[in-house]
Amino acid sequence: MRLTTLARLGLVLLLALLSSACATSRGEMALGVPGAKQTYAEPTGDRVAVIEWVRDQRVFETDPRDPSIPSLKKGGDYVLDAEGRKRAIARKRNSYGMALGDILLEGDETVETLTRDLVTTGLQERGIRVLQADAQAPADAIRLRVDIKEFWAWFSPGFWSVSMEAKLRMDFEVVDPVGNRRFTVSAYGINKGQSGREANWRLAYDRAFEDYLVKQRDTFQREGL
């Protein structure tokens, strides 16, 4: 049965309303690090590393003009404490660029657990065994401390398509037999699509993670890890 012009218009308006309602609310999304291993190996190789901490050091603002600055949806029902903000990874916007709902990681995942996976993957790629922070480690183990400065995705409207962008920046402090040193690893990912669907956000993050792992690999090699 063919839809009348009025019925088709009504369907379009309904879909637009549903999409708008979704954009104004808080959403959740699962992310994963490519190639990440979920277990920590025992020290059987020559080189061992301990990630002493990964800390979320991002700064959230209330109404930032720059969409790449972390922010949360307003209202008492959406307030998050420091632990809750560790799950916040993006902010949705409408076609005029107005900030709407935010996006959190699903379950117990946080930017700290994902960053630990990124760092662990990079160390294991270089043949380094990674231990839990409280594990018994040899005296010459590499010790890393990681501060998360940027871990955020944002929406940019466009005439024919929209963009989801994601950026990462981690500050490292490393102590090993070579000495003490500090360095930073940054990465970026972008995905252009027709809507702010979850899959489009995830693809932006996937590309940022892939870029980060490449940059991290180069930095670890340069820094002698």
Side-chain angles (χ1 to χ4, degrees), residues 47 79 101 127 129 151 154 186 199 207 215:
R47 295 196 298 166
V79 173
R129 304 281 179 174
F151 196 123
W154 66 97
S186 301
R207 289 172 176 170
K215 302 284 182 56

Side-chain angles (χ1 to χ4, degrees), residues 152-163:
W152 196 249
W154 66 97
F155 176 95
S156 298
F159 187 75
W160 295 110
S161 66
V162 297
S163 298

Side-chain angles (χ1 to χ4, degrees), residues 32-207:
V33 174
K37 297 180 180 179
Q38 301 302 316
T39 59
Y40 293 86
E42 292 299 322
T44 58
D46 292 335
R47 295 196 298 166
V48 175
V50 177
I51 303 173
E52 293 189 340
W53 73 56
V54 176
R55 301 185 302 192
D56 183 7
Q57 298 287 295
R58 298 174 300 167
V59 177
F60 284 74
E61 296 185 9
T62 302
D63 282 310
R65 296 179 64 87
D66 183 347
S68 69
I69 295 174
S71 63
L72 298 172
K73 181 176 172 62
K74 291 182 178 179
D77 293 339
Y78 298 96
V79 173
L80 295 174
D81 60 15
E83 285 300 310
R85 288 194 296 273
K86 293 177 182 179
R87 296 177 56 215
I89 56 168
R91 187 76 187 270
K92 296 177 278 190
R93 292 177 180 266
N94 64 16
S95 58
Y96 300 101
M98 181 182 298
L100 300 173
D102 49 43
I103 302 176
L104 308 184
L105 288 165
E106 289 183 357
D108 297 330
E109 204 73 86
T110 68
V111 296
E112 291 179 347
T113 60
L114 287 171
T115 299
R116 184 175 290 273
D117 283 344
L118 285 165
V119 177
T120 298
T121 299
L123 292 169
Q124 290 175 335
E125 284 179 347
R126 298 190 59 76
I128 300 172
R129 304 281 179 174
V130 182
L131 302 181
Q132 295 277 22
D134 58 354
Q136 189 71 29
D140 62 349
I142 304 165
R143 296 190 174 273
L144 301 93
R145 299 169 180 175
V146 186
D147 286 334
I148 303 168
K149 296 300 185 178
E150 294 179 335
F151 196 123
W152 196 249
W154 66 97
F155 176 95
S156 298
F159 187 75
W160 295 110
S161 66
V162 297
S163 298
M164 275 67 69
E165 301 172 74
K167 64 178 179 179
L168 311 172
R169 180 163 68 89
M170 317 305 176
D171 288 352
F172 285 77
E173 179 182 357
V174 175
V175 179
D176 63 8
V178 175
N180 298 11
R181 51 211 185 275
R182 298 174 183 269
F183 53 84
T184 298
V185 179
S186 301
Y188 171 79
I190 183 171
N191 175 42
K192 294 183 181 291
Q194 299 302 314
S195 69
R197 295 186 303 116
E198 179 179 312
N200 285 328
W201 287 102
R202 185 179 291 111
L203 185 53
Y205 263 116
D206 286 345
R207 289 172 176 170

